[in-house]
Amino acid sequence: MQSLFIAKKFAYDGSQLHSLFAYLDHGILGPSIVSWQGACNIPFDHMVDGEDLLAKAVIEGDEMLHFIIEVFDRDLFSGVALQRLFASITRDYLQTAAAKVLGTESLRRDGDDIYWNDRKLSISIATKSPVSVMVHFAMNVTNEGTPVKTLSLGDLNLDPKKVSEDLMGLFKREFQDILVATQKVRPVS
């Protein structure tokens, strides 16, 4: 698993969620997690979540921290499991990193989203291409331009680049541990 924080800011519109995004656009070959900051505005023609399409949901924000994870030769169930794993790692990390702001209150993970009370911090989707599964996960850097009540990394007094680098490191380590766990067991008959 390779990782990269992309220093250049650019908007996420859903078109980035395609196989080999990390390789073709950023030179990262193989299983990867990449991250960057930028606005978010997902038009319906790039929206892959059927529930959001049916609800005609508006998914946008002026500044978000984006992640795209890509893993090859896996099914969609594995992609959703990686999505939930990343959301759990993120929740645990933020709970500790923002302890001064959160006090005795807890962040809550509901499926693939993270909340503080009724304020939503993140968006996420997992999907499958012919060669890989991909996850887009993003957190608000600010609360500007969001269509719902949100929480942001700014509210938590956290630096987006540090959050990105820390989370990518934690995810890479967990992914590698999972791979090792699959390679150290004997088959059963």
Side-chain angles (χ1 to χ4, degrees):
M1 172 75 54
Q2 296 188 65
S3 64
L4 174 69
F5 179 79
I6 303 162
K8 179 184 174 189
K9 288 187 178 186
F10 59 96
Y12 178 84
D13 65 6
S15 66
Q16 297 84 1
L17 195 59
H18 64 80
S19 47
L20 305 182
F21 168 74
Y23 180 50
L24 297 176
D25 291 31
H26 304 285
I28 305 298
L29 179 63
S32 63
I33 180 169
V34 297
S35 180
W36 74 95
Q37 279 185 247
C40 180
N41 188 343
I42 306 172
F44 293 125
D45 60 331
H46 289 157
M47 203 173 282
V48 296
D49 188 324
E51 184 176 22
D52 289 337
L53 282 168
L54 288 173
K56 298 189 181 345
V58 175
I59 302 174
E60 59 188 7
D62 288 357
E63 186 77 13
M64 298 186 86
L65 177 62
H66 301 276
F67 297 85
I68 290 183
I69 299 166
E70 184 172 26
V71 178
F72 296 87
D73 300 319
R74 299 288 186 259
D75 63 11
L76 186 54
F77 186 90
S78 298
V80 172
L82 288 172
Q83 174 193 31
R84 301 282 176 103
L85 176 63
F86 188 74
S88 291
I89 289 168
T90 300
R91 193 223 77 71
D92 292 350
Y93 168 83
L94 294 175
Q95 187 68 47
T96 300
K100 288 182 182 177
V101 174
L102 296 170
T104 60
E105 296 186 40
S106 294
L107 294 171
R108 171 177 55 90
R109 180 183 66 85
D110 185 1
D112 53 43
D113 292 318
I114 299 171
Y115 294 86
W116 188 19
N117 299 316
D118 63 343
R119 298 170 65 188
K120 188 175 183 191
L121 173 68
S122 62
I123 60 171
S124 186
I125 190 69
T127 191
K128 185 167 176 23
S129 81
V131 297
S132 65
V133 290
M134 294 157 291
V135 174
H136 172 251
F137 186 93
M139 293 179 281
N140 300 304
V141 173
T142 72
N143 297 308
E144 303 301 316
T146 61
V148 297
K149 193 173 181 181
T150 55
L151 173 69
S152 71
L153 295 175
D155 294 328
L156 299 174
N157 294 328
L158 297 175
D159 174 63
K161 184 176 182 194
K162 179 170 179 11
V163 168
S164 169
E165 291 172 345
D166 289 350
L167 287 175
M168 288 191 296
L170 291 167
F171 183 76
K172 283 172 53 175
R173 188 167 38 250
E174 190 72 34
F175 184 83
Q176 189 59 39
D177 285 350
I178 291 169
L179 285 181
V180 168
T182 68
Q183 298 165 3
K184 67 177 186 173
V185 295
R186 294 179 0 180
V188 296
S189 51

